[in-house]
Amino acid sequence: MKATSAGCVTGQRDANEREQIDVVALGIVTAAILLFVGTGSEVGPRVVNSFLQRGPGPDHFLLNAFLLNIAIIIFGWSRYRQLCAELQARKAAEKQARHLAETDPLTGFLNRRSFNACVDQMIATAAHNGQAVVLAMIDLDNFKQVNDYNGHNIGDLLLRECSGRLAAGLPPRALVGRIGGDEFAAAFPFDPNRDAVITEVASTLVETIGENARIDAIIIEVTASIGLARSDFPGIDNERPDAHALLEMADIAMYHAKRHGRNRFYWFEPQMADEMRFRKELEQGIRRGIGKGEFVPYYEQQIDLQTGELTGFEMLARWDSPHFGIVSPEIFIPVAEDIGAIGALSESVIRQALEDAKTWAPHLTLAVNISPLQLRDPWFSQKLLRLLVEASFPPQRLEIEITESCLHQNVAQARSLIASLKNQGIKVSLDDFGTGYSSLAQLRSLPFDRIKIDRSFVSSLIDNQDSAAIVHAIAMLGKGLNLPITAEGIESDGVLNYLLQYGQIKGQGYLYGRPRPAGELGEWMEELGNAARPELNAVRKAFRDAAGNSAAEAGDETGGTHEPRKRAGG
Ligand code: C2E
Ligand code: MG
Ligand code: MG
């Protein structure tokens, strides 16, 4: 039997109570019978003799005592019955209350507190029998989104469906608990010499929970990440782990599974604890850093390849962390997404970028990246509009970049967001195109203003024929669909010259310099005549030209400026 109810905690208590009631009842009955026998043996014969007129009748006092004894037995018995009934009712109510306190009402599984107690008991019994206990932490992937898209009712039904699959995939003696919203834990004893059974169980669980669920005619994609920890191996502090420590270890292994692609399981290993500590530091640092303005915009030039002119900048966020130094978005964006901080982080860097962009010449555009999670935020376009209004920045100069890989998750949502952004006059480009498997039909149905070819194809197109073929196909697709193209990741003159065959396309990449903070753009923009006060720039430029001091500079790796067309011309 699978111990999904709180039986292991309450069983012993129930037996003790029952014993106590039995002893009291036995005492009452024995005392009453002894009294009855004592007085009866004295009174009985005298009553009989007096009836037969063979002697004097019973002593009045004894007779009264005897009658009183009978009354006591009758009263005692009925009171005893009453008490039993009351006790039973109370016990049933207590049992119900305990059940509610120790189990999760939605799934009927143990809750965290009772699960821990049961696992501790299981570990002790297993050790006594020469066995060990494995604890599995099971977390549903992206469950929050299911709730957000479909409502909590569907979310609850999905949890029930998954709990059924979970219980069905476990061995008969397993304990199962619901530890958090979409987090379950299971534990069962095993023979340490035959631990292959655990990987079998874990693979089955990943497979069965990962099958699409049909809930109220909605097909829901669901997967689970699982972490495993065993009681016969040393824990985080090198001690034999108890239930609490096992849960912590399995939790760490489960997060490891999440970070390595989800829908899989991992065994706990001690170095994972260090990763976890690092991750916790990152999380806390990100939360603190947003408030302290440590997330700052860097800018990468976007160039019209034919004319070599600057057309705008893509804003790329950087974390200027006092603890870690300058951190790449590839590290902090996924963590900020996981801890629900991406909205606040993005808002903070976009706000700064809008202020920076106001100092640029009015024809220059500002492109910003958004996370797939923001794509799902129904208030995203309103929030963006508020930022634009606060900064008095014209929406026509703003471009939102949506990565291709997030489109397939919810095309309908993407479509409505793109439409609402475009209604406000904001442009929308499809970023990292070529990496996300969009279909042509999708591409046609989503009203993008631009396609950006992923840098992995562009930077390798000289040495790799496949990359060149993909770049060519995307350039032709852009022509066919009348969608302007931007090539990202231009690192060499060779790539630039190759791309010039496609006519009017935009480009960006390290050839034009690395992304730089706003403070380093100002002077350079003035030199190029792209600051917000062109009349001033024109005077300065004329002055410099007259002094024979060319504005064009040799580029350097650390973000030196380039005059693009010159480089393009070789
Ligand atoms: P992305 O939007 O595709 O940005 C281009 C990335 O390519 C940038 O990396 C940029 O530094 C890098 N890059 C530019 N030119 C070259 C080149 O010639 N060669 C090579 N090898 N790389 C080049 P970065 O800044 O590390 O950004 C990485 C990704 O992080 C971005 O990819 C974008 O998806 C994301 N990201 C950046 N800022 C934000 C943000 O504020 N919000 C969100 N949601 N995502 C952001
Ligand atoms: Mg981008
Ligand atoms: Mg990109």
Side-chain angles (χ1 to χ4, degrees), residues 399-402 427-431 448-450 452:
E399 236 175 74
I400 295 293
E401 296 192 1
I402 298 175
K427 307 237 167 22
V428 187
S429 7
L430 180 56
D431 201 0
F448 285 108
D449 295 294
R450 173 171 294 277
K452 296 185 70 177

Side-chain angles (χ1 to χ4, degrees), residues 84-105:
C84 277
E86 269 174 32
L87 264 173
Q88 255 166 0
R90 209 184 73 202
K91 259 181 55 192
E94 278 177 5
K95 199 170 167 191
Q96 173 75 2
R98 264 201 308 269
H99 182 77
L100 290 176
E102 289 168 357
T103 57
D104 162 55

Side-chain angles (χ1 to χ4, degrees), residues 300 314 316-318 329 369 371 431-432 455 488-489 491 509-510:
E300 178 169 310
E314 174 175 2
L316 297 158
R318 295 287 180 271
N369 296 279
S371 139
D431 201 0
D432 303 340
R455 64 177 188 269
E488 354 172 88
E491 291 179 354
Y510 291 169

Side-chain angles (χ1 to χ4, degrees), residues 49 61 171 217 244 299 361 408 417 442 455 472 527 561 563:
N49 282 343
F61 179 72
H244 180 79
Y299 299 96
H408 76 278
L417 178 73
Q442 254 175 15
R455 64 177 188 269
H472 181 77
E527 282 168 8
T561 54
E563 206 280 287

